[in-house]
Amino acid sequence: SRLVGGIVQCQRCAPQSYSLYASPVQNTGGHHSICNECPYGAQCQGGASVIAQSGQWGWINDTARQTVANLVPLPPGLGCTADNIFNNCTHFNSCSAGREGVMCGRCSQGYG
């Protein structure tokens, strides 16, 4: 967003950037959203899109501004998979089927 004539202009973040932060300020010169550079290990298609690359996992680095830390590689089978046949990488913290939690470290309900 940017301030133009005292009004906050909301603009979609461009590809290779993102913003997960919704500014609480309306039409004033106070704090407003900024577009962040896409973190390492992710793909950003603009807007609020931060998608893990295969085998990567990320977390919210700054809860106040909703920024995503660089993603980290996970051991084989834990992280999401994106290939020509199957793609379950939909968010920065996506896991493989049947896994969830911090660094995809636990089995999902219904999985043993």
Side-chain angles (χ1 to χ4, degrees):
S1 63
R2 61 190 175 118
L3 192 61
V4 176
I7 304 291
V8 174
Q9 300 289 318
C10 300
Q11 297 177 325
R12 180 178 168 83
C13 293
Q16 301 309 313
S17 67
Y18 73 96
S19 177
L20 302 177
Y21 179 73
S23 173
V25 178
Q26 298 179 4
N27 296 331
T28 67
H31 296 287
H32 52 277
S33 298
I34 60 167
C35 295
N36 302 292
E37 183 178 333
C38 192
Y40 177 82
Q43 297 174 7
C44 299
Q45 299 161 347
S49 170
V50 184
I51 300 171
Q53 295 175 358
S54 285
Q56 302 283 320
W57 190 86
W59 63 96
I60 297 292
N61 188 38
D62 179 345
T63 55
R65 298 299 266 171
Q66 295 289 296
T67 56
V68 177
N70 285 341
L71 282 72
V72 296
L74 295 177
L78 298 185
C80 64
T81 303
D83 57 31
N84 292 334
I85 300 168
F86 184 73
N87 183 355
N88 67 344
C89 295
T90 57
H91 303 294
F92 59 87
N93 57 357
S94 294
C95 298
S96 65
R99 302 206 64 92
E100 63 182 44
V102 175
M103 296 184 75
C104 306
R106 68 176 182 256
C107 294
S108 300
Q109 187 174 15
Y111 290 81

